[in-house]
Amino acid sequence: AQIASAADLPMKPAYKAPPMLAPTPVYNWTGFYVGGNLGGAWGNLEVSDVTNGGTISPDASGFTGGGQIGYDYQIDRWVIGIRNLINGTNISKNLTYTSPNFSGTINSHVNWFDTLTARGGYLVQPNLLLYVQGGAAWTKWDVTFNNSGSQVGGISGSKTGWTAGGGVEWMFVPHWSAFLEYNYMGFG
């Protein structure tokens, strides 16, 4: 007869699963999108008195906000797309003006602008896009003429022009991004 002791046997190592790593996010820029935006805007509206040759050209600034809808397509590290952005503004300026035909205040206001642009960019990181864009732009504006607090005239209209700009867009999690951009709009 033999006696066996379990204390003489080597201990089996305890099984430990390898540590779980968080999955690396996959950034895909291809697809449709919608979003909102807020920013600052500057404008210049020139008004000329064609009878007497007087001209005023007030510079104005204000806030702008609105939305955009678009589509992007990613080809390796390049992204191309199309976007429509429409924004309301509070860009306005009041000036005192005196000429032989009018004496009083002139109030200018840019109501909104809309841009339809193509854009192209390069991914400097999988989630960081540098881009340029350009296309068509539209705006709606009005100017009123006031004398002694009463409106004595006004003009308003809409104008078609062009836009060019660029920016940087950061996809902070898949399918969510933030952008910072500059756009110049020319309406002649």
Side-chain angles (χ1 to χ4, degrees):
Q2 223 177 9
I3 299 176
S5 173
D8 296 340
L9 296 175
M11 298 232 358
K12 286 187 177 179
Y15 176 76
K16 285 188 178 182
M20 300 254 331
L21 300 175
T24 304
V26 177
Y27 297 102
N28 182 356
W29 292 80
T30 298
F32 289 97
Y33 61 89
V34 296
N37 64 76
L38 293 171
W42 299 264
N44 178 279
L45 179 64
E46 185 172 297
V47 179
S48 298
D49 181 346
V50 293
T51 306
N52 296 310
T55 299
I56 62 166
S57 184
D59 290 323
S61 62
F63 293 102
T64 182
Q68 67 268 356
I69 185 169
Y71 180 81
D72 284 332
Y73 185 74
Q74 181 177 346
I75 306 165
D76 193 29
R77 294 186 70 104
W78 297 94
V79 175
I80 57 173
I82 188 166
R83 176 179 73 180
N84 182 250
L85 178 141
I86 186 162
N87 278 25
T89 78
N90 72 347
I91 301 171
S92 60
K93 185 75 171 197
N94 300 329
L95 292 174
T96 302
Y97 183 72
T98 302
S99 76
N101 293 338
F102 174 77
S103 183
T105 59
I106 299 174
N107 306 316
S108 66
H109 182 241
V110 178
N111 300 298
W112 56 263
F113 62 85
D114 183 11
T115 63
L116 179 62
T117 56
R119 78 173 184 164
Y122 183 76
L123 292 166
V124 294
Q125 296 289 327
N127 64 337
L128 189 63
L129 176 69
L130 296 178
Y131 62 91
V132 295
Q133 64 186 11
W138 299 268
T139 188
K140 167 83 170 68
W141 53 269
D142 56 61
V143 177
T144 58
F145 303 95
N146 301 293
N147 191 343
S148 300
S150 299
Q151 183 174 332
V152 294
I155 55 174
S156 65
S158 57
K159 196 90 166 152
T160 300
W162 60 275
T163 183
V168 59
E169 186 168 351
W170 171 49
M171 190 179 294
F172 50 92
V173 294
H175 310 295
W176 288 90
S177 66
F179 67 92
L180 178 65
E181 75 180 26
Y182 173 82
N183 292 298
Y184 179 85
M185 293 174 219
F187 297 103

